[in-house]
Amino acid sequence: MKTASVPWIFSKKSAVLIVVDMQNDFVREGAVMEVPMAREFLPQMKRLVETCRKHEIPVLFTSHVLYDHYDVSPLETAYNPVLQQKGMRASTDGIQIVSELEPQPDEHVIHKHRYDAFYNTQLETLLRNVRGPHVVDTVIIIGTVTNICCESTARSAFMRDFKVVFVSDANGGLDSESHQATLNIISKVFGRVMATEELIEEIVEKNDR
């Protein structure tokens, strides 16, 4: 049942958490594509991952991967020339999910080569089946970078008729202006923007949904 204040009601029974690109090459201090806000928001992300695991909400991870032997994402590296030489290289520690959020053995890590985590990956297939056929209708998005991979994935989820929860203090942006711009546009037309505490309350206290 809809209310006047929200377009749809969150249900943990049909949700999946997607952790976008929380890799060493984005998060660690001095990393080639360092995003300090992603590191700042790690405690909130960790709480959400742990809460989802406790309440049996599946957790999926994405990892952005580039290669040394050929340029798998030429437009991306054209805009970011440093990536032509280093960063997010396959088989390096840089593509690994940070230890604070380390995936469990039964959790999937989806390797991607574009900002949109749905593009040419198995993400949609996993979402359609990870809780049973056609159970999942909601994706929770946390990670980095807010206005690049996280926003691209949120828009792509919306286009596939998934409800989107975009967590305001668990997505790390390059700067506050672009971060806030993404929160504004997501909240207007692509999903529900929720803070960590608000979402945890929905998961923990509203057990009947």
Side-chain angles (χ1 to χ4, degrees), residues 165-179:
V165 176
F166 203 90
V167 186
S168 58
D169 57 350
N171 280 274
L174 297 173
D175 52 71
S176 58
E177 292 79 12
S178 62
H179 176 79

Side-chain angles (χ1 to χ4, degrees), residues 8-120:
W8 43 265
I9 301 298
F10 174 81
S11 171
K12 68 179 183 181
K13 295 179 181 178
S14 58
V16 167
L17 176 66
I18 303 175
V19 183
V20 178
D21 295 1
M22 286 299 290
Q23 304 159 242
N24 290 318
D25 272 351
F26 283 110
V27 180
R28 297 308 181 201
E29 188 170 359
V32 62
M33 295 297 288
E34 180 186 3
V35 183
M37 194 186 296
R39 188 166 57 250
E40 175 188 346
F41 287 162
L42 253 176
Q44 292 94 310
M45 296 185 203
K46 185 175 181 180
R47 285 190 65 205
L48 284 169
V49 168
E50 291 173 349
T51 299
C52 286
R53 286 171 176 163
K54 182 177 179 180
H55 289 267
E56 299 182 337
I57 297 173
V59 181
L60 304 178
F61 296 83
T62 73
S63 175
H64 200 71
V65 179
L66 302 177
Y67 301 128
D68 278 329
H69 52 289
Y70 70 94
D71 194 347
V72 71
S73 188
L75 286 177
E76 177 183 6
T77 59
Y79 284 102
N80 295 280
V82 66
L83 294 177
Q84 295 173 3
Q85 304 297 325
K86 59 182 179 178
M88 289 97 75
R89 279 339 197 239
S91 302
T92 70
D93 185 62
I95 68 167
Q96 300 303 312
I97 307 302
V98 293
S99 57
E100 293 89 337
L101 306 175
E102 185 176 3
Q104 295 185 344
D106 61 343
E107 292 173 341
H108 292 274
V109 179
I110 298 156
H111 287 182
K112 65 185 183 66
H113 309 299
R114 295 294 184 273
Y115 301 141
D116 173 8
F118 285 91
Y119 186 81
N120 279 351

Side-chain angles (χ1 to χ4, degrees), residues 80 115-116 144-154 174 182:
N80 295 280
Y115 301 141
D116 173 8
T144 198
V145 176
T146 303
N147 65 312
I148 303 175
C149 292
C150 298
E151 181 176 344
S152 296
T153 300
L174 297 173
T182 289

